[in-house]
Amino acid sequence: MFKSNADISHVLGEFKLENRLFRYSSFVPRLYNYCKSLGFEPGKIMPSRAFCSDESQGYPIILISKHFGTFPFNHGVVGGVVATDRHGPHAEHGKDMVIINASHVGYDPELKEFGVYRRMCTEHNEMSDSCGKVGNVVEWYTEEYKFAINNIHIHHKNDEMLLVIDNQLLDMDRKEGLFIHVDKLIKSDNDEIKPVHSYSTSKSFRLHDGLVDYFKGSKDGQVIGDGLKPEYFYFKREIKGDIEGQSHIENNLLRVMPWIVSNESPLLVAAMINTQVEFDRTFRTIAKEKGYRGKRVVYIAGLNIDISPQEGQTFPLTKFVPWAAFVQSADGHQFTLEQDELYQILAQQSDENPDKINMDEAIRIMESVKEVKIF
């Protein structure tokens, strides 16, 4: 599904994409039928969505409205972050509660590339980052990473392999930037790391013994490139912003940013990680929310993959990848569903919904009823 120059299984855990996707037109009725199987009452279910504000998320919202019979409550802010301070107001709007939370990533089937989306309302149907918010967050780190991989060089001297490292990357007193784990890249001399030679803008060091075989055969002066694996560096950044505010996503991703920027599909990995972090953060706030007590609640988190519209298509062919769910019964019993179990439960549900509304007919009725005078 996506490639990486590093093992990120310990970062993404059990999050699977392949054989875990539903078309949104199939996912939403399956979710509705699962809720009914739990005792949710048709016509009394108040859905809520915590999606990004991107226009590509409109199609899922339309389908939620169609199958649940009402327009969903807005539970999210840009980037697919859950606004947990909206639990109380949401609880007041229905008898049974459903919350769908999803980060999103674009996909272009022609380029076979994640992280981009064709904007049909632009002059020439231009492609842009998707999610744009996540792309904006990742950009600074990507530039730092590009500088690092192009300013660490392999150097051969007297049959010894050296690393020539830019002085900026050796300045450990910086407040922010990419910082290398020198003990993993450089050979120490009696537990002390000493340069072999000092240049005007860089210094050379003996390569760590554990990396000699990896770089064997490299050319003199060759940049380290993807040999700078994510376990060899980390980032520092002064992030300003409150929880669920402007910098929320950046806080979610900072710890694993080396694995994001070194991946061939960075926005896909970032969206997957953000989905995991948001579910882990949010489900406890739902479990503790007084407004949800005595109510049936299903909170499901996953990934929206927005496949760019092609010629003649108005909306994206959006797919949903479920990650996890939190379920609460009216008597207060609570449990979580992990990805495999959640996928199987949804797959077992019918994708036919006899309770779905006819959107065109509903709009026609609203247009034809006698006007109500306000003043």
Side-chain angles (χ1 to χ4, degrees):
M1 181 63 71
F2 63 93
K3 298 178 181 179
S4 170
N5 63 11
D7 179 14
I8 59 171
S9 59
H10 71 289
V11 175
L12 290 174
E14 299 298 318
F15 203 150
K16 304 180 183 73
L17 294 185
E18 296 186 50
N19 302 317
R20 293 295 184 276
L21 294 89
F22 291 102
R23 291 180 68 146
Y24 240 87
S25 56
S26 173
F27 159 63
V28 179
R30 290 176 188 274
L31 176 61
Y32 177 82
N33 286 326
Y34 174 58
C35 290
K36 283 181 64 177
S37 75
L38 296 173
F40 284 50
E41 183 179 342
K44 298 296 182 181
I45 305 172
M46 187 65 225
S48 181
R49 93 281 186 176
F51 296 162
C52 183
S53 55
D54 198 303
E55 79 275 7
S56 65
Q57 306 307 285
Y59 175 58
I61 291 172
I62 291 172
L63 288 174
I64 294 169
S65 304
K66 176 179 180 178
H67 288 282
F68 283 88
T70 185
F71 193 80
F73 185 89
N74 185 0
H75 224 120
V77 296
V78 66
V81 171
V82 182
T84 59
D85 60 349
R86 301 180 193 175
H87 294 341
H90 175 230
E92 296 175 354
H93 291 203
K95 177 184 177 183
D96 298 324
M97 321 307 297
V98 174
I99 306 170
I100 307 170
N101 171 216
S103 294
H104 74 111
V105 64
Y107 180 77
D108 187 76
E110 294 181 352
L111 299 175
K112 298 187 182 303
E113 180 180 344
F114 285 100
V116 294
Y117 184 80
R118 190 175 303 281
R119 307 296 179 180
M120 302 303 287
C121 291
T122 57
E123 183 175 3
H124 301 293
N125 296 343
E126 289 92 351
M127 306 290 290
S128 70
D129 282 351
S130 180
C131 167
K133 171 63 176 178
V134 173
N136 181 260
V137 167
V138 171
E139 182 179 11
W140 181 86
Y141 298 90
T142 300
E143 291 304 312
E144 291 289 306
Y145 175 66
K146 287 179 180 178
F147 177 85
I149 64 176
N150 288 306
N151 285 278
I152 301 175
H153 297 82
I154 309 298
H155 180 54
H156 299 281
K157 184 178 180 180
N158 301 328
D159 296 326
E160 192 170 34
M161 201 174 299
L162 307 176
L163 278 184
V164 181
I165 304 175
D166 186 276
N167 284 335
Q168 177 178 294
L169 299 171
L170 297 170
D171 180 7
M172 306 307 288
D173 293 326
R174 288 173 293 145
K175 291 184 178 180
E176 59 181 24
L178 183 150
F179 294 77
I180 59 174
H181 290 294
V182 292
D183 58 320
K184 296 182 179 180
L185 288 174
I186 298 171
K187 183 178 181 179
S188 64
D189 184 6
N190 294 324
D191 294 327
E192 186 177 356
I193 295 176
K194 298 179 180 179
V196 174
H197 190 88
S198 294
Y199 304 97
S200 59
T201 61
S202 61
K203 293 179 177 66
S204 64
F205 302 85
R206 291 180 178 84
L207 182 66
H208 193 288
D209 289 341
L211 298 177
V212 172
D213 287 343
Y214 181 87
F215 289 106
K216 187 177 181 180
S218 61
K219 297 179 181 179
D220 187 49
Q222 176 181 317
V223 298
I224 194 171
D226 60 12
L228 185 64
K229 298 183 181 300
E231 56 265 35
Y232 300 152
F233 67 96
Y234 61 98
F235 289 102
K236 287 183 183 178
R237 187 85 192 272
E238 291 189 325
I239 303 175
K240 299 178 181 179
D242 298 326
I243 294 296
E244 298 176 9
Q246 182 68 21
S247 302
H248 184 87
I249 290 179
E250 194 166 5
N251 278 308
N252 283 355
L253 303 178
L254 178 61
R255 182 181 61 84
V256 294
M257 197 63 78
W259 283 266
I260 294 173
V261 298
S262 59
N263 195 277
E264 291 188 4
S265 299
L267 297 194
L268 170 62
V269 176
M272 294 169 70
I273 293 171
N274 193 59
T275 293
Q276 292 176 309
V277 175
E278 282 301 290
F279 180 80
D280 186 41
R281 179 185 71 90
T282 301
F283 92 92
R284 295 179 186 87
T285 66
I286 296 173
K288 296 176 182 178
E289 172 58 47
K290 293 180 180 179
Y292 291 140
R293 291 178 184 173
K295 293 178 178 287
R296 299 181 182 91
V297 181
V298 167
Y299 165 48
I300 183 170
L303 176 67
N304 286 348
I305 300 178
D306 311 318
I307 301 175
S308 290
Q310 301 301 299
E311 189 75 28
Q313 293 180 341
T314 303
F315 301 119
L317 181 63
T318 303
K319 293 182 181 291
F320 181 77
V321 184
W323 163 240
F326 168 80
V327 180
Q328 175 180 287
S329 60
D331 63 6
H333 177 62
Q334 300 174 341
F335 61 92
T336 57
L337 297 170
E338 301 298 335
Q339 187 180 36
D340 287 346
E341 185 180 10
L342 175 58
Y343 177 82
Q344 292 300 325
I345 286 174
L346 291 173
Q348 292 167 5
Q349 305 299 317
S350 171
D351 62 1
E352 293 294 326
N353 177 12
D355 302 328
K356 67 184 178 183
I357 63 173
N358 184 315
M359 300 289 282
D360 288 337
E361 179 63 14
I363 293 173
R364 186 196 66 77
I365 292 174
M366 297 309 298
E367 291 175 338
S368 63
V369 298
K370 185 178 179 180
E371 183 179 0
V372 175
K373 299 291 185 181
I374 303 297
F375 296 106

